[in-house]
Amino acid sequence: MAAPRNSGKWLTGALSASFRAPPDDVFALVTDLDRLPEWNRAVTKVLDRPAALAPGAEWVVKVRPAGLPSWRSRSWLEELDPQRRVFRHRSKADDKNPSHAEWLWQVDEEPEGSRLTVSWELHPMTAGRKFLAAPLRGRMLVTTEVPDSLAALARMLASGE
């Protein structure tokens, strides 16, 4: 488990978890946009989704991390490679602020199943996001949000949901 670090321009972090499930099953669950609210408590609703995940596809979710107000977050698919099990997208609040986050989800095969690694880069572009929002979100991602999401995915995969 790695903590976020301040690189001067953005916050980065990465966390991994192992699952007793086939890698393709893990990848299918992580890339099923309709199921995001089932395992990511910060995502309360999928508001708009593409007919298919293809490079450039967009989707919008309602996000409400614990203790914060909700906002609309728009994401753009940058890479989807089912053979390598790579899912990469960029997201930002659905407002005029240029700040954004880059996400990479990688599923690898392990002897007992699979390993999912999620990594992120927060790119705060305004003073409020640079000095307040991004450091707060970076801490929340590594201490609660991503660990909770990985635990929820483990429960879902173990139960066959």
Side-chain angles (χ1 to χ4, degrees), residues 22-34:
D24 290 337
D25 291 356
V26 176
F27 189 73
L29 183 55
V30 168
T31 58
D32 186 343
L33 300 179
D34 292 327

Side-chain angles (χ1 to χ4, degrees), residues 21-101:
D24 290 337
D25 291 356
V26 176
F27 189 73
L29 183 55
V30 168
T31 58
D32 186 343
L33 300 179
D34 292 327
R35 299 196 70 187
L36 280 171
E38 294 179 46
W39 57 267
N40 185 335
R41 283 191 294 170
V43 175
T44 61
K45 187 173 185 180
V46 177
L47 301 171
D48 190 23
R49 63 178 301 287
L53 280 178
E58 290 184 30
W59 61 95
V60 180
V61 297
K62 185 176 180 181
V63 178
R64 187 170 193 281
L68 296 177
S70 66
W71 67 87
R72 290 169 51 107
S73 177
R74 183 173 301 270
S75 294
W76 294 266
L77 181 63
E78 295 189 340
E79 181 180 9
L80 181 70
D81 186 336
Q83 289 184 336
R84 290 179 24 242
R85 297 181 205 95
V86 170
F87 176 46
R88 191 167 54 87
H89 63 94
R90 175 183 290 231
S91 65
K92 69 180 276 322
D94 207 8
D95 60 14
K96 296 186 188 301
N97 192 301
S99 301
H100 65 277

Side-chain angles (χ1 to χ4, degrees), residues 7 21 38 43 66-67 73 82 107 111 123 137 141 154:
S7 67
E38 294 179 46
V43 175
S73 177
V107 181
H123 295 266
R137 289 289 294 138
L141 287 170

